[in-house]
Amino acid sequence: MPEIATMRTLRGRAHPQGPLGRLAMHTGAVLAALCLAVPAVAAGAPPVDAVSARTTQDETIYFLLPDRFDNGDRANDTGGLSGDRLHTGYDPTDKAFYHGGDLAGVIRRLDYIKTLGATAIWVGPVMTNRAVQGQPGHESAGYHGYWITDFTTVDPHFGSNADFARLVREAHARGLKIYMDIVVNHTADVIHYRECPTGDCPYHSRADYPYQRRGGVDGAPINPGFAGDSIGTDANFAHFVRPDYAYTPYVDAGDAHVKVPDWLNDPIWYHNRGNTTYVGESATMGDFGGLDDVMTENPRVIRGMIDIYGDWVRRYHVDGFRIDTAKHVDAAFWRAFIPAIRDIARGEGLPNFAIFGEVAGGGDNAPNQAVSTRVAQFPATLDFGFRFRVIDAVTGRSGTDALDALFAADPLYANGDAGARNEVTFVSNHDNGRIGWSIRRALPQASDAEVLARETLAHAMLLTLRGVPAIYAGDEQGFAGLGDDQRAREDQFGSRVPEYNAERLIGTDTTTATPHFGTDHPLFRTIASLARIRAATPALRRGEQIVRARSLGPGLFAVSRLDPVDGHEVLIAYNTATTPVSAQIEVNVATAHLVALAGACPAAASAPGSVRIDLPALGYVICEARK
């Protein structure tokens, strides 16, 4: 069994889910089973305020893990638990345990986040977690928030439900939205299997261990009348009463009611087939390193999850969900869950409720992301393809034609190119690592100045190319990271982890041992400037994108973004080479005169339909056609 601390990393390497035909089955039956559970939008819904009225494409997102952002209340560091770190989960010197960050800290830094130019905050999961999990000698804590036991309360390490309500209220007062990171795929590791007491349980497939036999095809008949998990009706699942088809699941006596709501404590609501191999059916039915994999095909589970997360919308008026491990849940679940949640949100005066799912993958991931917008009907996904293609471009590992190939796949998304503009783009995150680490790994001999220039260029792409940009907390302070997963989750409030404090930051001589909330770091200033330009330029938020130039090696990449109202053009050009670039770039014939939004732009076109752009090494320009 892999170390539990590495589960999040393993998810990032998981393979796409199984055949689309099976995932698309019986949508009507599932929706019919849910019809009584989806609340109707009340007549005379609440008025929509200015924050809620903003479209999702208008946002610039700031992503943070509360435990690693700021510690505003040291009284909750141990989550109200007593004992050593294996009981409380608190050890600020170990990157695998709680460090003390909390919601009070996030509230304290709202003005800092707004000064950066963010308009929405994606907050890592805040619900109550299993404090510590793992085999002896391999324990780690649920500081990241993805090992939930109580789906109704804020983890005491982060504060209280009242603290969360205050966060949303104070964020809204500043014009900031709050996006919750939520988990449906699994819960904390509470269920055990008698056949593998060490927890290293290989995946048992439906073919070898059918639901209708106990312990394999030669076992005693069980669950008579059950027609399989693809028939998502209450009538069918009424015949599904025994969970011991693949393993014999059990729960320790002390954990009999550890999960909230209480229905989640019954093993019947889980797949119980052992650990995923990240391929085939196990990608949606296997346990992630022992985490209890929820049987999301069951209509009772669908209704229960809608109730859980709909209640967070009703109680706190959050503005959206980022959904963890989305591709590891069957698509029929999402086709029921997403419209139900958005109906609830509309009934609460939230017409632009954002939902974007984690569909992890590499540089060629665009088709998988697009499938999720069509088959699972996600409004958007996290754009992993964007991340990897930008990294390849700014490190010189590929030509900028790879970016062109990425955007050429945009018509695959639901609603085509317009749908692709809803994708949440990023260059760093808590699972795959920071852009600074990627640059240094690819170019170990690069000077600090060159690394800074390449990271600046990556963030310029993030904030000006199509999609909704998500900035990972700490990038704006030059956090470089030491790898993926735990090694990319530094404390912004001053760390006591020796490994973090030995990290060489970008653009500064400071270390993570001191708090980093200043506004003078060159990356902070660049991101803030680009965010202001984006906010003031509708073409950069909602405009159609046209690729104008690309290179087979490091060098020029250029796009035009078109104003969504009058169609006037904003030309953005980037140079991924370490030498200057000068080139004629095609533009609309109507683009005769230009205004520089960033960098040095020519005052006029060279000829109808052509503009000469001069770019410094690793530079960029943003040039807007005069209206």
Side-chain angles (χ1 to χ4, degrees), residues 141-198:
Y143 70 90
H144 42 68
Y146 296 100
W147 300 343
I148 301 171
T149 53
D150 186 342
F151 285 77
T152 67
T153 62
V154 167
D155 191 307
H157 292 87
F158 301 151
S160 65
N161 287 24
D163 291 324
F164 188 72
R166 181 184 165 212
L167 169 63
V168 177
R169 185 170 62 251
E170 296 209 13
H172 285 175
R174 291 167 172 82
L176 299 169
K177 291 183 177 181
I178 294 293
Y179 294 163
M180 289 183 70
D181 199 327
I182 71 167
V183 186
V184 166
N185 178 67
H186 58 267
T187 71
D189 183 10
V190 175
I191 298 172
H192 310 297
Y193 306 132
R194 298 200 182 279
E195 292 81 359
C196 46
T198 63

Side-chain angles (χ1 to χ4, degrees), residues 80 119 167 172 182 229 258 339 393-394 402-403 437 448 468 505 535 548 595 601:
T119 62
L167 169 63
H172 285 175
I182 71 167
D229 54 31
V258 70
V394 301
L403 286 168
W437 170 64
D448 288 349
V468 182
L505 303 188
R548 296 296 196 184
V595 176
C601 298

Side-chain angles (χ1 to χ4, degrees), residues 371-493:
V371 164
S372 290
T373 68
R374 290 184 176 274
V375 178
Q377 298 177 6
F378 267 93
T381 72
L382 278 171
D383 197 340
F384 281 81
F386 179 94
R387 174 185 186 268
F388 283 97
R389 289 302 180 225
V390 167
I391 289 172
D392 288 346
V394 301
T395 59
R397 287 191 301 205
S398 74
T400 64
D401 56 321
L403 286 168
D404 183 24
L406 169 76
F407 297 128
D410 282 356
L412 297 175
Y413 289 89
N415 299 318
D417 291 338
R421 294 197 288 274
N422 292 316
E423 287 292 281
V424 175
T425 53
F426 67 103
V427 295
S428 301
N429 76 2
H430 59 318
D431 287 338
N432 303 99
R434 295 188 182 274
I435 180 70
W437 170 64
S438 296
I439 293 169
R440 282 183 170 157
R441 182 173 59 166
L443 302 165
Q445 304 306 315
S447 67
D448 288 349
E450 181 181 341
V451 173
L452 175 60
R454 290 183 186 274
E455 177 158 355
T456 298
L457 183 59
H459 278 94
M461 291 180 173
L462 175 65
L463 284 151
T464 55
L465 291 169
R466 73 99 177 101
V468 182
I471 301 157
Y472 181 32
D475 268 12
E476 78 280 8
Q477 297 292 338
F479 286 16
L482 299 161
D484 55 7
D485 200 72
Q486 296 174 4
R487 294 170 292 178
R489 300 174 181 178
E490 305 97 319
D491 304 304
Q492 201 158 330
F493 59 94

